[in-house]
């Protein structure tokens, strides 16, 4: 296996310090940059762990070494703004060996994991534990959270090509709109020509008698026709572009949404719900705006610029040069102006967003505000944020008021040159007034694209950023994809965990070396303090994540070889936080089995203890719930969720604090109903209230990510260990209550 | 301008110090309402193998401890919790000044070591690109570059003129007093305030 770039560099450094080291000896290498004792100095620290020894070097000199045979464990831990590595000897003594800023966090965590893995399993993991790089190797800039695409280095050409890939099915609409652009530009050019004809031959004609009324009317008709054609072409352009833009974005939106649905929870949870919504709606929306508005205008303006420029040069190159002369100055002025205003607009946006947040905060907590009589203070708080927003807005308006006239003055410069040149020419008799009017119109036409083109790079980059972000999601690897030979398994309910370890990130293993066999029909109670890995264990059984080490089997088949659809359709789950979709109670219960009959739903609701309260609602099972629906209590929502889980008669039922929000009487009623059906399915339940688990066949006590105790309630009470202490503590509590 | 809410991204949540893997999450699960307030009278501290040890009372066995600021933005040397390795609060320090000079220096050094936030003295350049800002600064720890994601939210006011920066990696930087910065540096940061 070849080394990653980072590991290769570390290995070369290690070889310089220890020339006898070979690649096969290396267990882990890491650098650190802060002094171990004080903040006064930065350090050039380097640690080499080979198969026998951990050696620490500072400034190129060995400062400490320890034999691995003396070490119990290496530990990585976070300070604030820095991280540490220590080891603990078998005699319990600890020693700090590295301290670094957070930039080194992943590298240190990964290295420590590799060393511990080696000490436990004799596994050389230098190749495997390559930490995920958080910066772009090309420009050194940081990746966005959860991303591996650098927004500074992405290839714009590649992105446009990929966007074209999505747009190409609608290319005929795009080509049609380009054709109409050409026609629009042609009409725009002819219009001033007709105006000139009108001015010179009819309005300023020295012999009005010679003017034919029909000719005059014909010219007016031409002007009218041009106006009509311009409007008509413009509408047709918009029509084609709107169709193309909307179809492209509709297509893109569906691709992104489907992809997000396929991503694993671990990948999704690296991003916030807001960010994912932005990808699906805002970013694709921005792409649509770009395709429909900016691209169209770009084509239009560039064509107009070239066409008008050509006509001007063909007619009189000196005049054309005079008009073009101030252009670079105007272009630069526009660019600078946009940049400055862009920063101010962003600041204003932030200010407004802050005021909105404060408002939202106050209104959401209005009961608290009123009960503490804090209306006046909150009003003052809002006032200060509103004042900041006002100041920024005022600054923008003031700057705008100063700069806008200057820009317009600059734009009028070309016309000033034109008037000077054309005035002389008219006086000299080489130009007519109509021709001057024509040039004046052309000069106005040539300046308009400049204003647009100065702002275009920004619009282009914004759209490209959105395109990149969207494709970043589309390209994201599916880490929990179905194996090629994944089977549809008819689950019986046996679960087997062999030496399973798992952590959500590099630094911390949440579960360590779990071995557990669960027989079909067993009711397993998971017990332990918060943060000991109970929910993580059920996440693994549902295959929301894949195990880092070991294997997890369902009915003797590795979970990675079972199709996810088949697995999840046979697992029912009720979590502590329930979620009801906008819809009727019936639809919510039938969520996991849309073809369920009314009888099935009512039966499930009865087992879950939900039927009794549902029938008391005016609209019964048709009652609308969810965000904008009927307000149900926590316990009622929970019972609907339990009914949902039971409806498809799952072979494995997972209850994660499912009955915690219910009163003890209702809980007992549901527990009894579940117990009556438990022989049909394997049940795994997590509960802090230990009485919830009284029907459990076995209890598994987790402590610090490991199985600490396992057995029946009686066995564990007799053992007088962690479970015993928990039971006693709860008894004390209930006595006090 | 009204100060922005304190406690920005990368705040001290879950950062338990030398409590070992996963300890941060459990912090606070056990309360000790009787944790004694300590001073030079009843406690002493020492360093061994890079770790801080406390003896309280003074003739007790040394216990490895971890110092934790209760108000890490506003009171750097006051309201300190002394936690054991499982983040259980053993004692509280109202003010490190309650200890003699030698002990006070030890506590200050330990707190500075755990809370690493180089002080920015000059801002050499700031580049804004795609919602990220790239900063090149001179700090008490030398010249550094760092990146902020969502710049406005990554700079937090911790007083009238004091600012904290939280970069994408979880590093912290501080400007003790914006007014003491040179004109160019102030101009560069002004847009984000």
């Amino acid at each position: 296996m070849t080394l990653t770039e980072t590991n290769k560099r570390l290995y070369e450094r290690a070889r310089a310090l220890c020339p006898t080291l070979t690649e096969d000896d290396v267990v882990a290498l890491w650098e650190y940059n802060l002094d171990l004792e004080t903040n006064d100095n930065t350090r050039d620290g380097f640690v080499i762990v080979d198969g026998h020894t951990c050696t620490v070097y500072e400034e190129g000199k060995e400062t400490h070494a320890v034999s691995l045979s003396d070490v119990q464990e290496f530990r990585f831990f976070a300070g604030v703004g820095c991280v540490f590595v220590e080891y603990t000897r078998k005699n319990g003594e600890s020693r700090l060996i590295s301290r670094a800023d957070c930039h080194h966090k992943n590298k240190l965590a990964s290295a420590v994991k590799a060393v511990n893995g080696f000490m436990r399993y004799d596994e050389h993991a230098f190749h495997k534990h390559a930490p995920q790089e958080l910066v772009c190797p090309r420009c050194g800039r940081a990746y966005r959270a959860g991303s591996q695409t650098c927004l500074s280095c992405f290839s714009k050409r590649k992105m446009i090509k990929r966007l074209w890939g999505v747009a190409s099915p609608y290319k005929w609409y795009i080509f049609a709109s380009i054709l109409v652009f050409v026609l629009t530009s042609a009409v725009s050019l002819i219009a001033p020509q007709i105006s000139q004809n009108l001015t010179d031959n009819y309005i300023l004609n020295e012999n009005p008698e010679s003017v034919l009324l029909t000719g005059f009317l014909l010219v007016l008709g031409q002007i009218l026709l041009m106006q009509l054609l311009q409007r008509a072409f413009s509408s047709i352009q918009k029509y084609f572009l709107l169709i193309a833009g909307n179809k492209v974005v509709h297509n893109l939106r569906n691709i992104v949404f489907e992809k997000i649905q396929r991503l694993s929870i671990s990948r999704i949870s690296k991003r916030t719900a807001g960010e994912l919504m932005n990808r699906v709606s805002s970013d694709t929306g921005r792409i649509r705006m770009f395709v429909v508005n900016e691209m169209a205008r770009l084509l239009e303006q560039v064509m107009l610029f070239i066409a008008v420029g050509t006509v001007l040069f063909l007619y009189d190159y000196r005049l054309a040069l005079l008009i073009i002369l101030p252009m670079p100055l105007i272009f630069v002025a526009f660019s600078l102006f946009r940049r400055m205003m862009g920063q101010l607009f962003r600041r204003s946006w932030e200010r407004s967003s802050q005021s909105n947040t404060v408002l939202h905060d106050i209104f959401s907590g209005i009961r608290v505000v009123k009960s503490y009589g804090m209306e006046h203070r909150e009003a003052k708080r809002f006032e200060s944020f509103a004042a900041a927003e006002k100041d920024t807005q005022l600054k923008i308006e003031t700057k705008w008021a100063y700069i806008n006239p200057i820009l317009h003055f600059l734009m009028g410069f070309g016309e000033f040159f034109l008037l000077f040149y054309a005035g002389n020419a008219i006086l000299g008799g080489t130009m007519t007034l109509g021709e001057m009017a024509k040039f004046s119109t052309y000069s106005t036409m040539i300046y308009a694209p400049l204003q647009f083109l100065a702002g275009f790079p920004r619009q282009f980059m914004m759209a490209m950023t959105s395109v990149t972000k969207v494709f970043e999601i589309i390209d994201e690897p599916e880490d929990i994809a179905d194996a090629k030979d994944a089977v549809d398994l008819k689950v019986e309910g046996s679960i087997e965990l062999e030496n399973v370890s798992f952590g959500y990130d590099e630094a911390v293993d949440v579960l360590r070396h779990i071995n557990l066999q669960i027989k079909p029909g067993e009711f397993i109670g998971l017990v332990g303090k918060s943060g000991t890995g109970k929910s993580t264990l059920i996440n693994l059984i549902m295959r929301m994540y894949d195990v880092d080490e070991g294997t997890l089997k369902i009915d003797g088949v590795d979970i990675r070889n079972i199709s996810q659809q088949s697995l999840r359709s046979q697992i029912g789950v009720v979590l502590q936080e329930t979620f009801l979709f906008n819809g009727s109670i019936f639809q919510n219960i039938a969520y996991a089995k849309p073809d369920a009959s009314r009888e099935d739903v009512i039966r499930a609701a009865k087992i879950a203890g939900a039927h009794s309260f549902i029938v008391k609602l005016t609209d019964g099972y048709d009652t609308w719930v969810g965000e904008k629906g009927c307000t149900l209590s926590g316990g009622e929502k929970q019972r609907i969720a339990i009914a949902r889980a039971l409806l498809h008669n799952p072979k494995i039922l997972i209850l994660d604090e499912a009955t915690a929000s219910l009163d003890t009487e209702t809980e007992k009623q549901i527990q009894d109903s579940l117990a009556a059906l438990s022989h049909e399915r394997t049940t795994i339940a997590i509960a802090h209230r230990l009485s919830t688990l009284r029907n459990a066949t076995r209890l598994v006590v987790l402590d610090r990510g490991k199985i600490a105790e396992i057995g029946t309630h009686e066995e564990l009470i007799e053992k007088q260990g962690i479970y015993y202490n928990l039971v006693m503590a709860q008894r004390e509590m209930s006595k006090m209550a | 301008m009204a100060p922005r809410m304190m406690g920005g991204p990368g705040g001290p949540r879950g950062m338990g110090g030398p409590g070992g893997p996963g300890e941060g999450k459990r912090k606070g699960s056990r309360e000790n309402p009787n944790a004694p307030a300590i001073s030079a009278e009843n406690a002493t501290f020492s360093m061994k193998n890079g770790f801080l040890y406390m003896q309280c009372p003074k003739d007790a066995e040394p216990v490895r401890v971890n110092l934790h600021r209760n108000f890490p933005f506003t009171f750097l040397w006051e309201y300190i919790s002394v936690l054991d390795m499982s983040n259980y609060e053993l004692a509280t320090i109202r003010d490190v000044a309650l200890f003699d000079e030698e002990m006070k220096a030890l506590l200050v050094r330990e707190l500075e070591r755990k809370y690493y936030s180089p002080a920015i003295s000059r801002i050499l350049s700031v580049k804004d690109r795609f919602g990220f800002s790239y900063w090149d600064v001179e700090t008490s720890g030398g010249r550094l570059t760092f990146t902020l994601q969502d710049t406005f939210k990554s700079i937090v006011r911790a007083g009238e003129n004091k600012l904290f920066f939280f970069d994408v990696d979880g590093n912290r930087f501080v400007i003790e007093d914006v007014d003491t910065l040179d004109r160019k540096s102030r101009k560069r940061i002004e847009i984000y305030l």
Side-chain angles (χ1 to χ4, degrees):
Chain A
M1 202 187 288
T2 51
L3 292 175
T4 62
E5 283 301 314
T6 312
N7 281 355
K8 206 184 279 175
R9 187 181 60 76
L10 289 175
Y11 178 62
E12 275 160 22
R13 265 202 82 178
R15 288 269 298 174
L17 290 165
C18 176
T20 55
L21 191 78
T22 68
E23 209 176 289
D24 289 335
D25 292 335
V26 178
V27 174
L29 305 171
W30 70 85
E31 291 165 318
Y32 63 90
N33 65 338
L34 299 178
D35 191 83
L36 298 182
E37 299 285 327
T38 67
N39 263 352
D40 299 340
N41 292 308
T42 50
R43 278 275 175 261
D44 175 24
F46 196 80
V47 180
I48 301 175
V49 183
D50 61 24
H52 308 284
T53 320
C54 165
T55 316
V56 183
Y57 296 86
E58 272 196 12
E59 314 299 331
K61 291 195 182 91
E62 182 181 327
T63 53
H64 178 73
V66 61
S67 164
L68 293 190
S69 58
D70 292 339
V71 176
Q72 177 73 38
E73 190 186 30
F74 281 79
R75 294 208 300 174
F76 163 90
F77 56 89
V80 180
C82 59
V83 291
F84 303 82
V85 176
E86 68 172 56
Y87 69 78
T88 309
R89 285 179 190 268
K90 284 178 178 157
N91 64 9
E93 195 182 272
S94 299
R95 187 182 188 95
L96 188 69
I97 52 166
S98 304
R99 178 168 169 256
D101 64 32
C102 289
H103 184 61
H104 294 72
K105 189 165 75 181
N106 267 21
K107 291 170 191 161
L108 261 61
S110 166
V112 167
K113 207 168 182 176
V115 179
N116 285 332
F118 170 76
M119 293 203 303
R120 267 189 214 117
Y121 309 114
D122 200 21
E123 180 184 89
H124 270 271
F126 185 54
H127 298 91
K128 260 171 58 180
H129 278 271
Q132 197 186 29
E133 286 290 346
L134 297 173
V135 292
C136 167
R138 203 166 139 194
C139 68
R141 286 175 169 147
Y143 291 131
R144 294 197 332 282
S147 163
Q148 289 281 289
T149 305
C150 179
L151 289 179
S152 289
C153 296
F154 70 86
S155 154
K156 289 165 203 82
R157 190 183 291 175
K158 202 171 136 196
M159 281 302 143
I160 291 174
K161 220 171 161 182
R162 295 201 59 186
L163 187 61
W164 179 247
V166 181
S168 57
Y170 316 107
K171 58 177 178 279
W172 296 116
Y173 289 104
I174 296 170
F175 289 148
S177 64
I178 292 173
L179 184 71
V180 183
F181 280 139
V182 176
L183 293 173
T184 316
S185 302
V187 170
S188 309
L189 286 177
I190 296 168
Q193 198 69 43
I194 299 170
S195 299
Q196 185 208 340
N197 185 15
L198 181 73
T199 314
D200 286 347
N201 297 332
Y202 295 92
I203 298 171
L204 297 177
N205 196 322
E206 286 170 1
N207 302 313
E209 297 80 22
S210 65
V211 175
L212 288 171
L213 185 65
T214 45
F216 180 67
L217 288 175
L218 194 68
V219 173
L220 284 183
Q222 283 172 343
I223 290 173
L224 190 69
L225 182 70
M226 288 299 127
Q227 289 282 340
L228 281 173
L229 279 177
Q230 257 184 326
R231 298 287 173 271
F233 286 150
S234 166
S235 298
I236 297 167
Q237 272 168 34
K238 282 214 172 85
Y239 171 74
F240 284 133
L241 273 171
L242 275 172
I243 290 181
N246 282 310
K247 281 187 186 266
V248 168
V249 168
H250 177 70
N251 195 0
L252 203 57
R253 232 170 233 187
N254 283 340
I255 296 173
V256 182
F257 182 73
E258 278 170 23
K259 176 69 189 208
I260 292 174
Q261 297 275 310
R262 285 203 305 276
L263 286 179
S264 68
I265 291 282
S266 68
R267 291 216 174 251
I268 289 177
S269 56
K270 280 181 187 158
R271 299 185 158 93
T272 60
E275 198 197 331
L276 291 172
M277 280 176 72
N278 269 341
R279 287 304 88 80
V280 179
S281 50
S282 306
D283 281 322
T284 52
R286 198 171 289 150
I287 295 169
R288 186 181 70 89
M289 290 292 284
F290 182 74
V291 172
V292 173
N293 295 342
E294 304 300 326
M295 281 299 286
R297 280 199 69 196
L298 176 74
L299 285 171
E300 189 183 53
Q301 301 292 326
V302 168
M303 277 184 194
L304 202 64
F305 188 79
I306 295 169
V308 175
T310 313
V311 169
L312 278 175
F313 268 97
L314 285 177
Y315 188 82
D316 188 336
Y317 73 93
R318 282 163 302 179
L319 190 63
L321 280 175
L322 275 177
I323 292 172
I324 285 169
L325 205 64
M327 273 189 184
L329 187 66
I330 294 171
F331 190 80
V332 171
F334 268 121
S335 301
L336 286 176
F337 171 67
R338 276 183 189 275
R339 212 168 129 189
M340 186 173 72
M341 290 312 278
Q343 280 187 328
L344 277 173
F345 278 130
R346 218 182 121 203
R347 195 167 164 185
S348 156
W349 184 87
E350 279 294 332
R351 291 270 184 275
S352 143
S353 154
Q354 279 173 6
S355 317
N356 285 338
T357 310
V358 170
L359 261 191
H360 183 262
D361 206 28
I362 296 169
F363 289 150
S364 308
I366 195 76
R367 287 170 75 101
V368 181
V369 174
K370 287 204 167 288
S371 27
Y372 285 91
M374 286 295 164
E375 295 93 331
H376 187 61
R377 199 178 74 172
E378 292 303 338
K380 271 179 85 177
R381 185 156 79 105
F382 177 68
E383 159 65 26
S384 69
F385 279 92
E389 190 185 346
K390 177 205 74 188
D391 290 345
T392 318
Q393 204 56 41
L394 205 65
K395 207 166 180 176
I396 290 178
E397 297 295 343
T398 320
K399 285 225 160 123
W400 181 265
Y402 281 136
I403 295 169
N404 210 26
I406 297 172
L407 286 176
H408 276 96
F409 174 73
L410 283 174
M411 279 176 70
F413 239 70
E415 208 151 340
F416 170 75
F417 284 134
L418 172 82
L419 275 176
F420 177 76
Y421 179 84
N424 272 332
I426 290 171
L427 289 175
T430 53
M431 190 186 268
T432 65
L433 196 62
E435 280 173 322
M436 195 191 87
K438 181 174 77 178
F439 277 111
S440 179
T441 314
Y442 281 145
S443 76
T444 318
M445 281 164 75
I446 208 166
Y447 275 102
L450 266 195
Q451 195 170 351
F452 171 79
L453 290 173
F456 184 75
R458 190 180 141 79
Q459 298 293 337
F460 175 73
M461 284 317 291
M462 272 168 67
M464 279 302 112
T465 308
S466 288
V467 172
T468 313
K469 285 178 179 176
V470 166
F471 280 115
E472 180 186 282
I473 297 250
I474 295 174
D475 294 343
E476 194 138 330
E478 287 174 41
D479 47 6
I480 302 198
D482 275 344
K484 271 185 190 163
D485 50 355
V487 290
D488 283 347
L489 188 73
K490 192 169 181 317
V491 174
E492 293 295 324
S494 89
I495 301 166
E496 197 178 336
L497 290 99
E498 274 176 24
N499 201 25
V500 165
S501 292
F502 173 78
Y504 294 101
D505 59 42
E506 300 253 6
V508 183
D509 264 345
V510 181
L511 290 175
R512 297 176 223 179
H513 320 299
I514 301 285
N515 285 296
L516 180 66
Q517 272 92 36
I518 302 171
K519 291 192 239 17
E522 262 199 298
F523 182 159
I524 298 290
L526 286 180
V527 184
K529 290 182 201 161
S530 305
T532 49
K534 301 186 297 293
S535 297
T536 307
L537 186 61
I538 59 172
N539 278 338
L540 293 181
I541 293 172
M542 289 192 286
R543 209 185 162 206
M544 292 298 176
Y545 302 88
D546 271 337
V547 297
D548 290 342
E549 285 169 29
T551 49
L552 199 163
K553 292 177 182 170
I554 307 277
D555 294 343
V557 181
D558 191 316
I559 199 164
R560 287 168 285 208
N561 294 328
I562 306 172
S563 86
Q564 292 175 68
Q565 204 278 328
S566 131
L567 177 74
R568 299 208 182 113
S569 66
Q570 294 175 83
I571 294 182
V573 58
V574 187
L575 304 172
Q576 188 172 11
E577 283 173 26
T578 50
F579 186 81
L580 298 186
F581 292 98
N582 277 315
S584 69
I585 290 181
F586 174 80
Q587 287 166 338
N588 266 286
I589 296 178
Y591 183 76
K593 194 182 173 193
D595 58 344
S597 69
R598 271 23 190 194
E599 287 78 12
D600 291 340
V601 169
I602 292 172
R603 197 179 310 119
K606 279 184 177 168
I607 300 171
H611 182 74
S612 55
F613 84 81
I614 295 172
V615 291
K616 282 181 197 150
L617 298 169
T618 318
D619 296 330
Y621 281 85
D622 288 332
T623 305
W624 199 261
V625 289
E627 203 182 337
K628 287 180 182 164
C630 164
T631 317
L632 298 178
S633 73
E636 288 167 344
K637 282 184 193 164
Q638 200 68 22
R639 279 180 271 175
I640 291 178
I642 295 172
R644 181 194 283 164
L646 290 171
L647 182 69
H648 64 132
N649 197 22
K651 285 293 171 187
I652 297 171
L653 179 65
I654 288 168
L655 306 167
D656 186 355
E657 288 286 1
T659 50
S661 55
L662 304 179
D663 59 85
T664 40
E665 199 181 324
T666 317
E667 186 187 27
K668 189 172 176 304
Q669 188 195 332
I670 295 171
Q671 289 294 328
D672 291 342
S673 308
L674 289 176
L677 297 169
S678 67
H679 60 278
E680 295 172 11
R681 65 175 64 89
T682 307
T683 308
I684 300 170
I686 295 175
H688 279 112
R689 203 195 286 165
L690 297 172
S691 59
T692 308
L693 305 173
R694 68 201 156 79
N695 294 323
T697 38
R698 272 192 302 162
L699 294 160
V700 176
V701 183
L702 288 175
D703 186 40
R704 298 187 179 217
K706 291 179 177 168
I707 294 183
E709 293 169 11
I710 191 161
T712 61
H713 170 78
E714 290 73 23
E715 284 167 1
L716 296 184
I717 289 288
E718 205 170 308
K719 198 177 174 187
Q720 302 212 342
I722 298 175
Y723 180 75
Y724 173 83
N725 290 332
L726 285 171
V727 171
M728 289 304 137
Q730 287 203 357
R731 277 191 192 160
E732 283 298 313
M733 287 286 287
S734 54
K735 266 187 211 162
M736 281 161 69
Chain B
M1 191 209 128
R4 203 173 297 156
M5 293 280 284
M6 281 181 262
R13 186 162 49 99
M15 296 291 192
E23 289 295 329
K25 282 183 185 168
R26 283 194 291 281
K27 193 167 61 180
S29 59
R30 286 188 300 153
E31 290 293 334
N32 181 11
N34 303 319
I38 56 168
S39 63
E41 300 286 311
N42 54 355
T44 182
F45 290 89
S46 57
M47 292 293 286
K48 191 184 165 194
N49 289 341
F51 301 114
L52 186 72
Y53 285 78
M54 177 179 78
Q55 286 168 275
C56 175
K58 284 178 168 178
D59 56 354
E61 275 292 301
V63 184
R64 187 174 152 191
V65 292
N66 164 32
L67 301 183
H68 193 79
R69 282 175 178 153
N70 287 210
F71 301 96
F73 294 128
T74 38
F75 290 95
L76 302 188
W77 318 115
E78 295 172 64
Y79 305 103
I80 311 291
S81 286
V82 184
L83 310 173
D84 74 2
M85 295 305 293
S86 62
N87 285 321
Y88 182 71
E89 191 176 61
L90 299 174
T92 59
I93 299 173
R94 170 63 188 78
D95 189 341
V96 292
L98 295 171
F99 288 86
D100 61 43
E101 281 309 310
E102 188 193 348
M103 210 56 69
K104 184 181 154 191
L106 189 71
L107 293 172
V108 166
R109 209 172 68 179
E110 178 61 9
L111 282 165
E112 278 185 336
R113 193 173 68 137
K114 178 183 167 185
Y115 291 83
Y116 183 63
S117 45
I120 296 173
S121 51
R122 264 180 82 195
I123 301 169
L124 302 170
S125 82
V126 185
K127 278 185 192 136
D128 218 316
R129 210 164 143 83
F130 310 121
F132 280 83
S133 55
Y134 301 93
W135 298 68
D136 186 354
V137 295
E138 267 176 22
T139 72
S140 50
R143 187 167 169 175
L144 291 170
T145 55
F146 62 87
T147 308
L148 303 184
Q149 182 171 12
D150 202 343
T151 311
F152 283 87
K153 289 191 175 69
S154 300
I155 302 176
V156 172
R157 265 182 192 263
E160 194 53 38
N161 288 322
K162 187 173 178 175
L163 297 177
F164 272 100
F165 293 66
F166 301 93
D167 85 350
V168 286
D169 293 319
N171 292 308
R172 292 172 170 212
F173 305 92
V174 64
I175 294 179
E176 290 292 345
D177 186 349
V178 182
D179 287 346
T180 59
L181 290 179
D182 59 287
R183 204 178 61 84
K184 276 187 179 170
S185 299
R186 282 195 58 181
K187 192 93 185 151
R188 284 179 183 127
I189 198 174
E190 200 186 15
I191 187 92
Y192 301 106
L193 300 182

